[in-house]
Amino acid sequence: ELSLLTGSRAYERYTGPQIRKLYETQKEVYDNTERISLVSSFMASLLIGGYASIDETDGAGMNLMDLRKRIWSKEALEATAPNLEEKLGPLAPPHAVAGNLSTYFVDRFMFDKKCLVIQWSGDNPNSLAGLALNRPGDLAISLGTSDVVFGITTEPHPGLEGHVLPNPVDPNNYMVMLVYKNGSLTREEIRNRCANGSWDIFNGFIDQTPPLNGGKMGFYFKESEILPPLPVGIHRYELRNYENYAKGCVTAHQVPEFDDLSEVRAIMEGQFLSMRAHTQRIGMPSPPERLIATGGASANSRFLSLIASIFGCPVCTVQRPDSASLGAALRAAHGWICDNEGRFIPISHLYEYKSEETAMTCKLSAPAGDKDVYAKYSYILPERMKIEQQLVDEI
């Protein structure tokens, strides 16, 4: 119910539960608090010399905001602490003006006194803007120490997994986000154990094994995972009769180990199949309208080809290690244009017809995979999700 209302289930780190904890354990501190800010709105407050509003996108990550109405939820506020709304202040759209730059900065650092401060937001919303995701159906996969999947949808389906937030650059749709703790470090552990620490050997093993890995499927958690919520461990399965997936004859049997070649393909297919399944479950179309890969591991062409086969669409790459700061700069320009025009202007107007000459350039790195292979992955996906749910239930 909380996820349907606010876009995320309750997390200990979220601001709402933290406010609740403070109210219960240090009531006097809470009672003496005039204003509660997020880091983003606090930084904007320093710049304008007054209280800046929390923006709707970062505000959605608090378990306190009604996702669809984009206002504080009375029900969530009342369950958290008394008089909370007046301590939080009003919400603001991400493209709104927080205020003019404080005279302190104008006088001391010679800024223009007309300089505007646009609403600040969090690192993930800014990253979405920096990756130039701006259309429903767009999807981005950031392959790093943690893997993060961003998407844009008009029809969100909040659940017990992932997060749904208002889109920071378009008030008419939503941003979905999935975070996997087991990213590059888990892939590197398999590389070191099975491929002598060599990405060339690792990639060769991917080339030597067929799609669906002969029915071998694995779940690899070097660290406790967020999605699905499972502890450290490796779980391997062989799917029998998997060639007859269309007839519903598939049976899964747990096995203790795979050969090295199968282990390599199992971790890669497993990670990307999980991403596809969970993005579909949270409201993203399959195949996506467009898929952008970024992060250190996006330099591996075999990974991109595998993503293209599993997701059934071309994969473009961008090398922007600073996507959050680039997105913040774009959002600042976007807010300025909206204020200047006196109406909402799509952020794509900033870089349409110019992206080939700017940091917004996307490079086609892998064509869409074979349609028959995509169909086979589609048939096998429910079986993987069934095994995943069994593991969650058992463990």
Side-chain angles (χ1 to χ4, degrees):
E1 287 302 315
L2 186 69
S3 181
L4 289 172
L5 178 65
T6 69
S8 297
R9 69 172 177 82
Y11 290 93
E12 292 88 346
R13 69 183 186 274
Y14 267 34
T15 317
Q18 286 294 321
I19 293 171
R20 177 70 178 169
K21 177 184 175 183
L22 185 80
Y23 172 70
E24 290 185 329
T25 60
Q26 301 179 60
K27 185 175 181 298
E28 187 179 348
V29 172
Y30 178 83
D31 290 341
N32 290 333
T33 298
E34 180 176 286
R35 186 74 164 208
I36 298 173
S37 298
L38 299 183
V39 173
S40 56
S41 64
F42 179 71
M43 293 300 293
S45 298
L46 293 179
L47 289 176
I48 66 173
Y51 288 135
S53 294
I54 293 172
D55 87 282
E56 294 165 352
T57 304
D58 220 11
M62 299 171 70
N63 286 139
L64 295 175
M65 190 188 85
D66 186 311
L67 177 67
R68 287 172 174 80
K69 294 180 180 176
R70 305 191 187 196
I71 57 174
W72 298 122
S73 163
K74 300 286 187 190
E75 192 178 6
L77 296 182
E78 288 170 4
T80 303
N83 306 314
L84 182 53
E85 186 165 4
E86 63 188 61
K87 295 179 188 289
L88 292 170
L91 288 157
H95 61 273
V97 174
N100 282 80
L101 190 65
S102 165
T103 55
Y104 171 85
F105 294 101
V106 172
D107 294 342
R108 182 161 183 174
F109 298 107
M110 313 303 281
F111 277 91
D112 190 315
K113 64 182 180 181
K114 296 178 183 175
C115 179
L116 299 179
V117 178
I118 305 303
Q119 289 292 149
W120 282 45
S121 195
D123 55 346
N124 289 312
N126 283 321
S127 287
L128 180 133
L131 290 169
L133 297 189
N134 54 53
R135 300 174 304 196
D138 278 0
L139 194 69
I141 298 176
S142 177
L143 299 170
T145 304
S146 294
D147 292 338
V148 182
V149 183
F150 298 104
I152 296 178
T153 181
T154 54
E155 295 293 334
H157 299 289
L160 294 178
E161 58 199 33
H163 313 276
V164 180
L165 314 140
N167 184 339
V169 297
D170 187 342
N172 295 318
N173 48 56
Y174 298 85
M175 164 187 174
V176 300
M177 185 173 73
L178 306 173
V179 181
Y180 294 85
K181 284 174 71 175
N182 288 273
S184 289
L185 296 181
T186 305
R187 291 187 284 270
E188 287 168 9
E189 183 178 80
I190 301 298
R191 178 203 64 185
N192 295 340
R193 178 161 56 81
C194 298
N196 296 327
S198 166
W199 284 121
D200 289 337
I201 296 173
F202 187 97
N203 291 342
F205 286 176
I206 293 175
D207 292 340
Q208 293 170 54
T209 45
L212 277 66
N213 204 20
K216 298 182 179 73
M217 183 180 288
F219 299 78
Y220 298 84
F221 308 121
K222 183 176 184 292
E223 297 183 64
S224 296
E225 186 51 85
I226 300 169
L227 191 61
L230 286 170
V232 172
I234 296 177
H235 313 275
R236 301 178 184 89
Y237 294 83
E238 285 188 357
L239 303 183
R240 295 173 190 168
N241 298 318
Y242 75 95
E243 301 94 338
N244 297 318
Y245 48 79
K247 298 178 183 177
C249 304
V250 180
T251 56
H253 300 270
Q254 194 156 13
V255 296
E257 60 183 22
F258 293 150
D259 61 88
D260 287 347
L261 277 76
S262 299
E263 187 93 320
V264 165
R265 180 169 275 273
I267 185 174
M268 298 311 303
E269 284 191 338
Q271 288 184 332
F272 297 142
L273 282 168
S274 177
M275 291 177 188
R276 179 181 158 187
H278 287 286
T279 54
Q280 287 177 210
R281 190 182 280 184
I282 208 167
M284 291 297 296
S286 182
E289 293 295 324
R290 182 173 60 145
L291 198 155
I292 296 173
T294 187
S298 66
N300 189 316
S301 61
R302 301 307 195 289
F303 292 7
L304 302 183
S305 295
L306 201 49
I307 292 172
S309 294
I310 288 172
F311 280 84
C313 66
V315 177
C316 298
T317 53
V318 294
Q319 293 306 325
R320 287 179 215 141
D322 56 350
S323 62
S325 53
L326 174 63
L330 285 168
R331 286 190 50 252
H334 180 226
W336 182 85
I337 287 174
C338 292
D339 181 71
N340 205 41
E341 295 288 328
R343 61 190 176 92
F344 178 80
I345 303 289
I347 195 170
S348 58
H349 285 211
L350 288 173
Y351 46 79
E352 262 184 339
Y353 315 116
K354 306 173 197 168
S355 62
E356 296 305 315
E357 307 161 14
T358 71
M360 312 312 295
T361 305
C362 286
K363 172 189 169 190
L364 178 63
S365 296
D370 181 274
K371 288 184 178 179
D372 289 339
V373 173
Y374 171 73
K376 289 178 182 178
Y377 281 126
S378 299
Y379 279 117
I380 220 73
L381 204 56
E383 191 65 32
R384 179 179 178 85
M385 296 307 288
K386 186 167 88 174
I387 295 170
E388 180 185 292
Q389 189 58 51
Q390 287 171 353
L391 286 170
V392 171
D393 293 342
E394 290 168 10
I395 299 174

mmCIF file of all heavy atoms in Angstrom, residues 352-384:
data_model
loop_
_atom_site.group_PDB
_atom_site.id
_atom_site.type_symbol
_atom_site.label_atom_id
_atom_site.label_comp_id
_atom_site.label_asym_id
_atom_site.label_seq_id
_atom_site.Cartn_x
_atom_site.Cartn_y
_atom_site.Cartn_z
ATOM 1 N N GLU A 352 18.198 19.212 -29.138
ATOM 2 C CA GLU A 352 17.697 18.701 -30.416
ATOM 3 C C GLU A 352 18.492 19.310 -31.566
ATOM 4 O O GLU A 352 18.796 20.504 -31.568
ATOM 5 C CB GLU A 352 16.214 19.074 -30.587
ATOM 6 C CG GLU A 352 15.287 17.946 -30.197
ATOM 7 C CD GLU A 352 13.829 18.302 -30.470
ATOM 8 O OE1 GLU A 352 13.504 19.493 -30.574
ATOM 9 O OE2 GLU A 352 13.032 17.383 -30.576
ATOM 10 N N TYR A 353 18.793 18.475 -32.538
ATOM 11 C CA TYR A 353 19.519 18.884 -33.751
ATOM 12 C C TYR A 353 20.954 19.320 -33.471
ATOM 13 O O TYR A 353 21.671 19.730 -34.365
ATOM 14 C CB TYR A 353 18.789 20.025 -34.490
ATOM 15 C CG TYR A 353 17.309 19.813 -34.607
ATOM 16 C CD1 TYR A 353 16.400 20.665 -33.994
ATOM 17 C CD2 TYR A 353 16.809 18.709 -35.312
ATOM 18 C CE1 TYR A 353 15.025 20.455 -34.081
ATOM 19 C CE2 TYR A 353 15.443 18.493 -35.403
ATOM 20 C CZ TYR A 353 14.566 19.365 -34.789
ATOM 21 O OH TYR A 353 13.210 19.146 -34.882
ATOM 22 N N LYS A 354 21.373 19.250 -32.195
ATOM 23 C CA LYS A 354 22.742 19.660 -31.886
ATOM 24 C C LYS A 354 23.509 18.533 -31.203
ATOM 25 O O LYS A 354 24.684 18.689 -30.910
ATOM 26 C CB LYS A 354 22.731 20.856 -30.917
ATOM 27 C CG LYS A 354 21.918 22.046 -31.366
ATOM 28 C CD LYS A 354 21.880 23.053 -30.232
ATOM 29 C CE LYS A 354 20.759 24.061 -30.450
ATOM 30 N NZ LYS A 354 20.510 24.872 -29.263
ATOM 31 N N SER A 355 22.833 17.410 -30.920
ATOM 32 C CA SER A 355 23.451 16.411 -30.059
ATOM 33 C C SER A 355 24.722 15.812 -30.653
ATOM 34 O O SER A 355 25.589 15.344 -29.927
ATOM 35 C CB SER A 355 22.458 15.294 -29.731
ATOM 36 O OG SER A 355 22.051 14.633 -30.899
ATOM 37 N N GLU A 356 24.848 15.808 -31.992
ATOM 38 C CA GLU A 356 26.057 15.245 -32.588
ATOM 39 C C GLU A 356 27.293 16.072 -32.258
ATOM 40 O O GLU A 356 28.412 15.599 -32.368
ATOM 41 C CB GLU A 356 25.891 15.149 -34.119
ATOM 42 C CG GLU A 356 24.797 14.194 -34.558
ATOM 43 C CD GLU A 356 24.964 12.790 -33.981
ATOM 44 O OE1 GLU A 356 26.098 12.272 -34.008
ATOM 45 O OE2 GLU A 356 23.987 12.228 -33.471
ATOM 46 N N GLU A 357 27.084 17.330 -31.876
ATOM 47 C CA GLU A 357 28.220 18.210 -31.598
ATOM 48 C C GLU A 357 28.456 18.387 -30.101
ATOM 49 O O GLU A 357 29.280 19.186 -29.689
ATOM 50 C CB GLU A 357 27.960 19.598 -32.211
ATOM 51 C CG GLU A 357 27.602 19.565 -33.689
ATOM 52 C CD GLU A 357 26.911 20.858 -34.122
ATOM 53 O OE1 GLU A 357 26.948 21.845 -33.368
ATOM 54 O OE2 GLU A 357 26.334 20.853 -35.213
ATOM 55 N N THR A 358 27.737 17.650 -29.280
ATOM 56 C CA THR A 358 27.797 17.891 -27.835
ATOM 57 C C THR A 358 28.038 16.595 -27.071
ATOM 58 O O THR A 358 28.146 15.512 -27.653
ATOM 59 C CB THR A 358 26.470 18.495 -27.331
ATOM 60 O OG1 THR A 358 25.464 17.468 -27.383
ATOM 61 C CG2 THR A 358 26.037 19.671 -28.167
ATOM 62 N N ALA A 359 28.093 16.733 -25.761
ATOM 63 C CA ALA A 359 28.258 15.570 -24.882
ATOM 64 C C ALA A 359 27.030 14.666 -24.892
ATOM 65 O O ALA A 359 27.037 13.606 -24.277
ATOM 66 C CB ALA A 359 28.537 16.037 -23.457
ATOM 67 N N MET A 360 25.945 15.073 -25.585
ATOM 68 C CA MET A 360 24.730 14.263 -25.618
ATOM 69 C C MET A 360 24.798 13.179 -26.693
ATOM 70 O O MET A 360 23.859 12.414 -26.876
ATOM 71 C CB MET A 360 23.498 15.145 -25.882
ATOM 72 C CG MET A 360 23.407 16.388 -25.020
ATOM 73 S SD MET A 360 23.673 16.054 -23.281
ATOM 74 C CE MET A 360 22.263 15.046 -22.927
ATOM 75 N N THR A 361 25.910 13.087 -27.425
ATOM 76 C CA THR A 361 26.023 12.136 -28.530
ATOM 77 C C THR A 361 25.869 10.702 -28.037
ATOM 78 O O THR A 361 26.512 10.290 -27.078
ATOM 79 C CB THR A 361 27.391 12.278 -29.221
ATOM 80 O OG1 THR A 361 27.565 13.627 -29.607
ATOM 81 C CG2 THR A 361 27.484 11.379 -30.429
ATOM 82 N N CYS A 362 25.009 9.944 -28.722
ATOM 83 C CA CYS A 362 24.866 8.511 -28.469
ATOM 84 C C CYS A 362 25.437 7.749 -29.665
ATOM 85 O O CYS A 362 25.175 8.110 -30.810
ATOM 86 C CB CYS A 362 23.397 8.126 -28.291
ATOM 87 S SG CYS A 362 22.696 8.639 -26.725
ATOM 88 N N LYS A 363 26.186 6.710 -29.387
ATOM 89 C CA LYS A 363 26.809 5.916 -30.451
ATOM 90 C C LYS A 363 26.144 4.551 -30.490
ATOM 91 O O LYS A 363 26.039 3.870 -29.468
ATOM 92 C CB LYS A 363 28.305 5.783 -30.158
ATOM 93 C CG LYS A 363 29.037 4.827 -31.073
ATOM 94 C CD LYS A 363 30.457 4.609 -30.545
ATOM 95 C CE LYS A 363 31.124 3.465 -31.282
ATOM 96 N NZ LYS A 363 32.397 3.080 -30.630
ATOM 97 N N LEU A 364 25.687 4.124 -31.683
ATOM 98 C CA LEU A 364 25.123 2.783 -31.834
ATOM 99 C C LEU A 364 26.238 1.769 -31.645
ATOM 100 O O LEU A 364 27.207 1.748 -32.414
ATOM 101 C CB LEU A 364 24.471 2.616 -33.206
ATOM 102 C CG LEU A 364 23.896 1.219 -33.493
ATOM 103 C CD1 LEU A 364 22.764 0.897 -32.529
ATOM 104 C CD2 LEU A 364 23.422 1.119 -34.941
ATOM 105 N N SER A 365 26.123 0.920 -30.642
ATOM 106 C CA SER A 365 27.211 -0.010 -30.314
ATOM 107 C C SER A 365 26.847 -1.467 -30.519
ATOM 108 O O SER A 365 27.738 -2.310 -30.620
ATOM 109 C CB SER A 365 27.644 0.204 -28.859
ATOM 110 O OG SER A 365 28.178 1.498 -28.696
ATOM 111 N N ALA A 366 25.543 -1.795 -30.569
ATOM 112 C CA ALA A 366 25.134 -3.177 -30.819
ATOM 113 C C ALA A 366 23.759 -3.161 -31.469
ATOM 114 O O ALA A 366 22.828 -2.555 -30.937
ATOM 115 C CB ALA A 366 25.100 -3.973 -29.519
ATOM 116 N N PRO A 367 23.607 -3.800 -32.645
ATOM 117 C CA PRO A 367 22.286 -3.845 -33.278
ATOM 118 C C PRO A 367 21.343 -4.754 -32.495
ATOM 119 O O PRO A 367 21.784 -5.543 -31.647
ATOM 120 C CB PRO A 367 22.588 -4.439 -34.662
ATOM 121 C CG PRO A 367 23.837 -5.242 -34.461
ATOM 122 C CD PRO A 367 24.626 -4.525 -33.403
ATOM 123 N N ALA A 368 20.064 -4.632 -32.766
ATOM 124 C CA ALA A 368 19.073 -5.483 -32.095
ATOM 125 C C ALA A 368 19.404 -6.944 -32.357
ATOM 126 O O ALA A 368 19.842 -7.317 -33.454
ATOM 127 C CB ALA A 368 17.675 -5.153 -32.589
ATOM 128 N N GLY A 369 19.212 -7.779 -31.351
ATOM 129 C CA GLY A 369 19.513 -9.199 -31.508
ATOM 130 C C GLY A 369 18.508 -9.897 -32.404
ATOM 131 O O GLY A 369 17.485 -9.334 -32.809
ATOM 132 N N ASP A 370 18.793 -11.158 -32.707
ATOM 133 C CA ASP A 370 17.930 -11.993 -33.531
ATOM 134 C C ASP A 370 16.545 -12.127 -32.868
ATOM 135 O O ASP A 370 16.433 -12.373 -31.666
ATOM 136 C CB ASP A 370 18.582 -13.376 -33.681
ATOM 137 C CG ASP A 370 17.771 -14.301 -34.552
ATOM 138 O OD1 ASP A 370 16.852 -14.959 -34.023
ATOM 139 O OD2 ASP A 370 18.049 -14.357 -35.770
ATOM 140 N N LYS A 371 15.484 -11.965 -33.645
ATOM 141 C CA LYS A 371 14.123 -11.997 -33.086
ATOM 142 C C LYS A 371 13.778 -13.348 -32.485
ATOM 143 O O LYS A 371 13.053 -13.437 -31.486
ATOM 144 C CB LYS A 371 13.109 -11.623 -34.172
ATOM 145 C CG LYS A 371 13.145 -10.154 -34.555
ATOM 146 C CD LYS A 371 12.056 -9.816 -35.565
ATOM 147 C CE LYS A 371 12.079 -8.318 -35.906
ATOM 148 N NZ LYS A 371 11.048 -7.975 -36.906
ATOM 149 N N ASP A 372 14.277 -14.431 -33.097
ATOM 150 C CA ASP A 372 14.002 -15.761 -32.549
ATOM 151 C C ASP A 372 14.673 -15.945 -31.193
ATOM 152 O O ASP A 372 14.098 -16.555 -30.279
ATOM 153 C CB ASP A 372 14.485 -16.845 -33.526
ATOM 154 C CG ASP A 372 13.616 -16.909 -34.782
ATOM 155 O OD1 ASP A 372 12.467 -16.436 -34.724
ATOM 156 O OD2 ASP A 372 14.098 -17.430 -35.810
ATOM 157 N N VAL A 373 15.902 -15.415 -31.065
ATOM 158 C CA VAL A 373 16.610 -15.512 -29.787
ATOM 159 C C VAL A 373 15.878 -14.689 -28.721
ATOM 160 O O VAL A 373 15.705 -15.136 -27.579
ATOM 161 C CB VAL A 373 18.076 -15.044 -29.940
ATOM 162 C CG1 VAL A 373 18.768 -14.970 -28.576
ATOM 163 C CG2 VAL A 373 18.833 -15.976 -30.872
ATOM 164 N N TYR A 374 15.424 -13.493 -29.118
ATOM 165 C CA TYR A 374 14.661 -12.649 -28.186
ATOM 166 C C TYR A 374 13.401 -13.384 -27.720
ATOM 167 O O TYR A 374 13.049 -13.365 -26.535
ATOM 168 C CB TYR A 374 14.288 -11.334 -28.874
ATOM 169 C CG TYR A 374 13.315 -10.470 -28.094
ATOM 170 C CD1 TYR A 374 13.720 -9.786 -26.951
ATOM 171 C CD2 TYR A 374 11.988 -10.339 -28.501
ATOM 172 C CE1 TYR A 374 12.840 -9.001 -26.233
ATOM 173 C CE2 TYR A 374 11.094 -9.553 -27.796
ATOM 174 C CZ TYR A 374 11.525 -8.882 -26.666
ATOM 175 O OH TYR A 374 10.639 -8.103 -25.965
ATOM 176 N N ALA A 375 12.729 -14.078 -28.649
ATOM 177 C CA ALA A 375 11.514 -14.824 -28.304
ATOM 178 C C ALA A 375 11.823 -15.955 -27.330
ATOM 179 O O ALA A 375 11.065 -16.216 -26.380
ATOM 180 C CB ALA A 375 10.861 -15.376 -29.562
ATOM 181 N N LYS A 376 12.974 -16.623 -27.518
ATOM 182 C CA LYS A 376 13.351 -17.711 -26.605
ATOM 183 C C LYS A 376 13.603 -17.179 -25.198
ATOM 184 O O LYS A 376 13.173 -17.775 -24.210
ATOM 185 C CB LYS A 376 14.601 -18.420 -27.132
ATOM 186 C CG LYS A 376 14.350 -19.255 -28.378
ATOM 187 C CD LYS A 376 15.638 -19.885 -28.884
ATOM 188 C CE LYS A 376 15.388 -20.687 -30.157
ATOM 189 N NZ LYS A 376 16.642 -21.275 -30.692
ATOM 190 N N TYR A 377 14.296 -16.051 -25.121
ATOM 191 C CA TYR A 377 14.511 -15.429 -23.805
ATOM 192 C C TYR A 377 13.166 -15.042 -23.174
ATOM 193 O O TYR A 377 12.978 -15.163 -21.959
ATOM 194 C CB TYR A 377 15.403 -14.202 -23.930
ATOM 195 C CG TYR A 377 16.883 -14.494 -24.064
ATOM 196 C CD1 TYR A 377 17.629 -13.982 -25.125
ATOM 197 C CD2 TYR A 377 17.552 -15.279 -23.121
ATOM 198 C CE1 TYR A 377 18.996 -14.252 -25.251
ATOM 199 C CE2 TYR A 377 18.909 -15.547 -23.234
ATOM 200 C CZ TYR A 377 19.627 -15.029 -24.299
ATOM 201 O OH TYR A 377 20.969 -15.293 -24.418
ATOM 202 N N SER A 378 12.241 -14.569 -24.004
ATOM 203 C CA SER A 378 10.922 -14.166 -23.486
ATOM 204 C C SER A 378 10.184 -15.348 -22.883
ATOM 205 O O SER A 378 9.536 -15.227 -21.832
ATOM 206 C CB SER A 378 10.072 -13.549 -24.611
ATOM 207 O OG SER A 378 10.689 -12.386 -25.135
ATOM 208 N N TYR A 379 10.280 -16.501 -23.524
ATOM 209 C CA TYR A 379 9.594 -17.687 -23.015
ATOM 210 C C TYR A 379 10.219 -18.194 -21.716
ATOM 211 O O TYR A 379 9.531 -18.724 -20.845
ATOM 212 C CB TYR A 379 9.615 -18.805 -24.068
ATOM 213 C CG TYR A 379 8.559 -18.654 -25.129
ATOM 214 C CD1 TYR A 379 8.909 -18.468 -26.467
ATOM 215 C CD2 TYR A 379 7.196 -18.708 -24.803
ATOM 216 C CE1 TYR A 379 7.944 -18.323 -27.449
ATOM 217 C CE2 TYR A 379 6.223 -18.567 -25.778
ATOM 218 C CZ TYR A 379 6.593 -18.379 -27.098
ATOM 219 O OH TYR A 379 5.633 -18.233 -28.070
ATOM 220 N N ILE A 380 11.548 -18.064 -21.619
ATOM 221 C CA ILE A 380 12.245 -18.613 -20.467
ATOM 222 C C ILE A 380 12.191 -17.674 -19.259
ATOM 223 O O ILE A 380 12.428 -18.085 -18.119
ATOM 224 C CB ILE A 380 13.710 -18.934 -20.855
ATOM 225 C CG1 ILE A 380 14.150 -20.263 -20.228
ATOM 226 C CG2 ILE A 380 14.666 -17.835 -20.488
ATOM 227 C CD1 ILE A 380 13.531 -21.467 -20.871
ATOM 228 N N LEU A 381 11.849 -16.396 -19.491
ATOM 229 C CA LEU A 381 11.860 -15.400 -18.423
ATOM 230 C C LEU A 381 10.930 -15.754 -17.253
ATOM 231 O O LEU A 381 11.334 -15.639 -16.089
ATOM 232 C CB LEU A 381 11.498 -14.034 -19.011
ATOM 233 C CG LEU A 381 11.960 -12.785 -18.271
ATOM 234 C CD1 LEU A 381 13.471 -12.791 -18.066
ATOM 235 C CD2 LEU A 381 11.546 -11.538 -19.061
ATOM 236 N N PRO A 382 9.693 -16.188 -17.510
ATOM 237 C CA PRO A 382 8.817 -16.539 -16.377
ATOM 238 C C PRO A 382 9.398 -17.648 -15.507
ATOM 239 O O PRO A 382 9.193 -17.660 -14.292
ATOM 240 C CB PRO A 382 7.515 -16.971 -17.056
ATOM 241 C CG PRO A 382 7.548 -16.318 -18.396
ATOM 242 C CD PRO A 382 8.986 -16.288 -18.798
ATOM 243 N N GLU A 383 10.115 -18.589 -16.127
ATOM 244 C CA GLU A 383 10.719 -19.675 -15.355
ATOM 245 C C GLU A 383 11.786 -19.139 -14.417
ATOM 246 O O GLU A 383 11.879 -19.552 -13.255
ATOM 247 C CB GLU A 383 11.326 -20.716 -16.305
ATOM 248 C CG GLU A 383 11.741 -22.003 -15.626
ATOM 249 C CD GLU A 383 10.562 -22.770 -15.040
ATOM 250 O OE1 GLU A 383 9.447 -22.696 -15.608
ATOM 251 O OE2 GLU A 383 10.764 -23.416 -13.992
ATOM 252 N N ARG A 384 12.582 -18.192 -14.908
ATOM 253 C CA ARG A 384 13.603 -17.585 -14.042
ATOM 254 C C ARG A 384 12.950 -16.856 -12.874
ATOM 255 O O ARG A 384 13.402 -16.971 -11.728
ATOM 256 C CB ARG A 384 14.477 -16.617 -14.838
ATOM 257 C CG ARG A 384 15.528 -15.965 -13.964
ATOM 258 C CD ARG A 384 16.461 -15.015 -14.664
ATOM 259 N NE ARG A 384 17.364 -14.437 -13.681
ATOM 260 C CZ ARG A 384 18.495 -14.983 -13.262
ATOM 261 N NH1 ARG A 384 18.898 -16.136 -13.760
ATOM 262 N NH2 ARG A 384 19.248 -14.398 -12.340
#
